[in-house]
Structures are given as C-alpha cells and as structure tokens.
Amino acid sequence: EELRLLGWLLTAAGHARRGDLLESAIRQMDELARNAPDSSGLVDALVTRARIFIMTGNMQRAYTDLEKANRLIRRFPMSWTAGHGRTIFAHVLFLLGEWDESVTVADSAVALALDETDLSGWPRVLGEAIATWRSSTLATASRSFVTNGMRSS
C-alpha cells in the first residue's frame, strides 16, 4: 500500500514543516493516485493529503480529494479514515459555502460514528475472548468477554 505510506509521509512532513518532503510526496501521490485502483488505501491517502491541503490553505485541492474519498468510502467503509474523512469533508464544504451539502455529509459522518452494525472492532474483542478462554475456563472467558470486551468496542 504505497499510497497509504505516502499519506503517512505527508502527515510526518506536515508536522515537521518539511515543505521539500511535502512537495515531493504530493507529486508522487498525484502520479500513483491517477492510475490506482479504488481501495481503502486510496481513501486513506486522499483524506491524509486533503488534511495537508487544508493546513496549507489549498481548499480546492482538499475538496477534490475529499469528494473522491467520500464517494469511495461508500464502497470501502473499512477505511481507517472513513469516519474523520467525512467529518473533514463536511467542514471543507461549510468553508466553501456549500452549507446544505455540508449538513448532509455531517449527518452521514454522525450516522457512521453511531453505526452499531460496524463490526470493525470485533476482531480485537473476539481475539481477546479466545485468548482468555484458552488460558482459563469457558465460564471465565464468557465473563471476560462480557465485562471487558464489550467496554473496549
């Protein structure tokens, strides 16, 4: 997932205020994203790059990346940045004066955040339950899953 790694490089370069690295990584991402297949990694890269564009005041480029990411999130909701990607997009829409669309996207971000059918945290919870069961009795594993696993999800 070279795109996702470039996103991390963008984040690090932005925090370190390394303009030289930012420019290079943005160019590389432009080239890779042009022909990249749709994926959760592409979503993450677009959202990360959009954040850099917002930090540097380039709202139109941020809008372009977030608009594409928002379309892809519907197909790749397991993306690491799905939740805050929609939130950032709603904010950019608001700043650009697209108030109605901003509210719609914000509502969608809230719905995703409150989605009880989102099972992305379950592998960790189930893994902990299995580890507990292996080292103890079934009753202890069930009790641990209910008391600890449900709180961490």
Side-chain angles (χ1 to χ4, degrees):
E1 292 267 352
E2 192 172 356
L3 280 169
R4 192 173 272 146
L5 291 173
L6 275 171
W8 291 346
L9 175 62
L10 282 166
T11 298
H15 284 288
R17 303 200 185 282
R18 291 283 310 271
D20 57 326
L21 288 177
L22 279 175
E23 290 176 26
S24 172
I26 287 170
R27 278 194 306 276
Q28 287 177 348
M29 192 177 291
D30 283 343
E31 291 173 20
L32 283 174
R34 190 173 301 119
N35 298 315
D38 294 346
S39 68
S40 62
L42 179 57
V43 171
D44 295 338
L46 291 169
V47 170
T48 303
R49 183 171 67 176
R51 183 175 169 272
I52 297 300
F53 288 142
I54 292 167
M55 289 171 55
T56 59
N58 192 339
M59 299 306 259
Q60 194 54 52
R61 287 279 320 253
Y63 170 85
T64 301
D65 279 357
L66 290 168
E67 191 275 329
K68 182 172 183 174
N70 191 52
R71 280 186 282 120
L72 291 173
I73 286 169
R74 292 181 185 108
R75 291 185 23 226
F76 301 98
M78 74 296 274
S79 160
W80 297 343
T81 59
H84 70 273
R86 285 181 172 163
T87 305
I88 295 168
F89 188 38
H91 183 68
V92 167
L93 288 166
F94 177 80
L95 292 174
L96 293 174
E98 300 292 335
W99 298 292
D100 291 339
E101 190 176 355
S102 173
V103 170
T104 301
V105 173
D107 285 346
S108 143
V110 170
L112 179 67
L114 298 176
D115 183 5
E116 294 178 7
T117 64
D118 177 14
L119 304 178
S120 61
W122 279 68
R124 181 173 164 259
V125 172
L126 292 175
E128 289 175 7
I130 290 169
T132 301
W133 176 78
R134 285 184 177 156
S135 65
S136 187
T137 66
L138 183 56
T140 304
S142 298
R143 187 171 51 254
S144 176
F145 176 75
V146 170
T147 58
N148 296 324
M150 297 306 283
R151 276 188 287 171
S152 66
S153 60

